[in-house]
Amino acid sequence: MSDTQPTKQGADTESDTTAADILRRPDFKALHVETIEATLDALLLDCRQTVQRVIEQAGQGTPTWHTLVQPQAEAHNALSLFWSPVSHLNSVMHSEALREVHKRCLAKLTGYWTELGQNRKLYEATRALRDGASFADLSCERRREVENDLRDFELGGVSLDADQQTRFKAIAEQLSRMGSEFSDAVLDATNEWRYRIEDEARLDGLPASAVAAAAERARVAGVDGWLLNLEFPTYHAVVTFATDRALRQRLYTAFATRASDRWPDGQPIEEQEPHAARNNASRIDRILALRAEKAALLGFTDFAELSMVTKMVTGPDEVQAFLDDLATRAVPAARQEQTELEAFAQRTLGLAELQAWDIAFVAERLRRDRYDLSAEALKPYFPADRVIPGLFEVVSRLFDVSIETVEGASVYHPDVTLHRILDGRGELRGEFYLDNYARADKRGGAWMDVCATRQRVERGVQVPIAYLTCNLTPPVGDDPALLTHDEVITLFHEFGHGLHHLLTRVEAPGVSGINGVEWDAVELPSQFLENWCWERESLDLISGHYRTGDPLPDSLLDKLRAARGFRAASALVRQLEFSLFDLDIHRRSRAADDGGAVDVRQALATVRERVSVAPVPAFNRFPEAFSHIFAGGYAAGYFSYKWAEVLSADAFERFAEDGLFDRAAGQAFRTEILERGGSRDAMQSYVAFRGREPSIEPLLRQAGLMAA
């Protein structure tokens, strides 16, 4: 790790330690696969020895923050600073050698954290701190972290008997391993699939940038023609724009059957290597059964009930009611949208029956027909070299910060850049790595991940660092990357997550940035920032024709905004489908010795029968690639996207009323939400910003389900 100290100084109200900023960036060039495991072993040994020391010290008198919590935080910070870049590289610079090391190390980390959560003596020492006289003198953020630690001990099985703890640890290790294997299977299927086009006529309708990228891909592979793959920009371009229906079907089928028993052509495959190893169906059943068993060990009815403990909602019934209410409002509107789409397809395209691979294509044609607007017409106005600086300017105006590029920094790929955020006083608030473009051996999707957490350490306060990762359309030839408006929204979304991590003022690591934030509130800043992709005042900052620099014309902006609600109900019910499916399977799954996992395909079919309006072929294997809930943190929590959207739509109304860049509103959002992190209940933070609890009406208006 590189370790530098900027000059800012400050005072800690709870200690005499000076507050020099400590900046610890990863040195990617110093990471060698062959030494990762040994380094991790040494760090884990240090963590275990630290835990043993603080327990022994607690036995000699009432523990304090500085004798119990701080030493652990220092050791765990060193562990995190080492492991974070290793884990990140496994997602964005994947290799077989790194995968194997990552898998072995992940098992060791899971074992350590499970062991820590079940350490009865450490739990009792933490409880003694909470019940001791010094607790009242701690800051609210430190008290919050201690309370969260006690909750997490209980959720980690600290109160179980010895046999139950052994079983709990085995469950944790199996879930960790299978989550990694699930993600690997999706990545392998995505990377392996290629389709060569020899007749350029089959690429009719595709954007020129997509055709050029396919030609370049073929050139690099040493083959003639054009090469398509399953990276999302390519997949999206084909199913949205290709006039060749068979080509759309081929791409859709391969994408919809990744990591399943029907990959890649929708037909059953033989259960033999390598296909069997990539089939996630059995992993899903096992994951659900293990989660149910874990919940039962802890005394919960099901895993959904366990999941809600760390969320804003009171329990699964509240979530079910919330989703049911949205479904009641949205499904009739979505059915009407589908009827209109089918009529348009038959009338103008001669498609008597829409198939799944027709939906995006026909919807794009209908949007173009209704609003005289195509996604491709907008792309020249959103070159990445205008969007990214514009995004930085939007954030600067909103939150009184400035963003600079760090030149000459160690990065892991030529596409990656490093940036720093300074506040209005010139104080360094954080840094972030920006990794925007799709490429081989990079996990699909978009995400923000933690590199370093803001926290007080022995020599001062550590500066937060983030990874911001997208899979946007890469540049082709000499032209800059030209982004779709949806890709611009994705970039803003992930940057909102980054700001939540980077602008925190909290120094207790367990509640700093996004840490400790209720999972169904963590999407608030990200979805909130998306709103600035639709307003003239902000669009003038992020758009400009890549050749002329001309601003987005009023005619295009009017069409863009008019089309904002296009098929909004259909998009909403699609998210409800995911959320209801996720909730249902986690409420009904049981441990393997108590009936096993629910029939996942039947559960999804039942949900689709209720809320889906678009055709889905029988070979579709969506769950097998649903990494959010089977390999990510959204298990029994996918509803969080819609829950947080209520907050974000309501929060934006303050800016709609007071001004898009109103200084007071921006300052309030920064200080009451972004800077607070998880140091208090998310609802308290929201009320402090908005002056009241959120209303669902702004979301309904955005979705066209309520009159403006």
Side-chain angles (χ1 to χ4, degrees), residues 284-285 288-289 291-292 301-305 307-308 315-321 323-324 575-591 596-611 622-623 626 629-630 634-640:
I284 290 174
D285 291 341
L288 290 173
R291 286 174 178 169
T301 302
D302 50 51
F303 185 81
E305 189 176 87
S307 173
M308 304 303 165
D317 288 343
E318 183 181 4
V319 176
Q320 188 73 55
L323 297 175
D324 288 345
Q575 290 298 306
L576 290 178
E577 176 187 315
F578 299 161
S579 300
L580 287 165
F581 167 69
D582 171 43
L583 184 65
D584 180 60
I585 59 175
H586 284 104
R587 294 191 84 172
R588 295 200 290 123
S589 293
R590 294 293 177 262
V598 68
D599 185 333
V600 170
R601 289 179 192 157
Q602 183 56 50
L604 182 55
T606 301
V607 169
R608 282 176 171 160
E609 185 177 351
R610 179 187 170 199
V611 301
F622 163 74
F626 196 2
I629 68 170
F630 294 119
Y634 284 87
Y638 197 84
F639 76 91
S640 300

Side-chain angles (χ1 to χ4, degrees), residues 366-613:
L366 176 58
R367 184 170 79 149
R368 189 182 308 175
D369 181 78
R370 181 174 295 177
Y371 302 102
D372 189 26
L373 178 71
S374 72
E376 283 304 295
L378 293 168
K379 285 179 68 174
Y381 291 94
F382 292 108
D385 57 7
R386 179 65 180 255
V387 173
I388 294 169
L391 164 62
F392 295 169
E393 180 61 24
V394 167
V395 169
S396 296
R397 295 189 186 188
L398 269 176
F399 304 123
D400 188 27
V401 297
S402 60
I403 300 173
E404 304 172 349
T405 301
V406 179
E407 303 293 347
S410 169
V411 293
Y412 52 87
H413 189 276
D415 287 348
V416 179
T417 52
L418 177 66
H419 307 267
R420 63 168 64 98
I421 298 184
L422 308 171
D423 64 20
R425 298 174 299 172
E427 178 184 341
L428 178 64
R429 299 295 293 270
E431 293 189 341
F432 60 93
Y433 294 90
L434 196 57
D435 185 353
N436 275 329
Y437 303 116
R439 59 177 178 268
D441 299 321
K442 180 181 180 183
R443 179 163 63 87
W447 67 93
M448 187 283 291
D449 207 354
V450 172
C451 175
T453 298
R454 177 180 168 87
Q455 59 185 293
R456 180 165 292 281
V457 293
E458 184 178 0
R459 295 186 290 122
V461 176
Q462 180 171 281
V463 175
I465 305 175
Y467 305 111
L468 298 178
T469 309
C470 296
N471 274 274
L472 308 179
T473 303
V476 178
D478 296 329
D479 289 335
L482 301 180
L483 308 183
T484 67
H485 189 251
D486 284 344
E487 289 180 316
V488 175
I489 291 172
T490 296
L491 186 60
F492 270 66
H493 180 101
E494 297 309 328
F495 207 81
H497 282 309
L499 292 173
H500 205 181
H501 172 64
L502 297 169
L503 292 184
T504 186
R505 301 304 284 169
V506 177
E507 296 178 1
V511 290
S512 175
I514 62 170
N515 295 332
V517 177
E518 293 94 321
W519 201 253
D520 43 356
V522 81
E523 294 293 334
L524 165 58
S526 54
Q527 293 177 337
F528 165 78
L529 199 60
E530 293 178 17
N531 290 285
W532 274 261
C533 298
W534 297 93
E535 304 296 327
R536 165 55 80 186
E537 196 175 349
S538 47
L539 280 166
D540 282 347
L541 299 174
I542 66 174
S543 66
H545 197 282
Y546 77 104
R547 285 180 177 159
T548 66
D550 292 342
L552 186 71
D554 288 339
S555 58
L556 278 180
L557 174 57
D558 291 343
K559 294 171 184 178
L560 177 66
R561 297 182 71 175
R564 184 177 185 181
F566 178 61
R567 292 181 56 79
S570 298
L572 196 157
V573 298
R574 181 71 168 142
Q575 290 298 306
L576 290 178
E577 176 187 315
F578 299 161
S579 300
L580 287 165
F581 167 69
D582 171 43
L583 184 65
D584 180 60
I585 59 175
H586 284 104
R587 294 191 84 172
R588 295 200 290 123
S589 293
R590 294 293 177 262
D593 59 357
D594 190 23
V598 68
D599 185 333
V600 170
R601 289 179 192 157
Q602 183 56 50
L604 182 55
T606 301
V607 169
R608 282 176 171 160
E609 185 177 351
R610 179 187 170 199
V611 301
S612 180
V613 298

Side-chain angles (χ1 to χ4, degrees), residues 1-4 22-32 36 77-90 92 406-413 416-419 430-434 449-453 462-468 501-502:
M1 295 294 153
S2 67
D3 192 342
T4 60
I22 310 299
L23 181 58
R24 291 169 170 149
R25 298 176 190 149
D27 184 355
F28 297 104
K29 295 178 181 177
L31 277 176
H32 303 292
I36 287 173
N77 184 48
L79 176 64
S80 176
L81 289 171
F82 168 74
W83 180 248
S84 171
V86 174
S87 180
H88 182 66
L89 289 178
N90 190 56
V92 297
V406 179
E407 303 293 347
S410 169
V411 293
Y412 52 87
H413 189 276
V416 179
T417 52
L418 177 66
H419 307 267
E431 293 189 341
F432 60 93
Y433 294 90
L434 196 57
D449 207 354
V450 172
C451 175
T453 298
Q462 180 171 281
V463 175
I465 305 175
Y467 305 111
L468 298 178
H501 172 64
L502 297 169

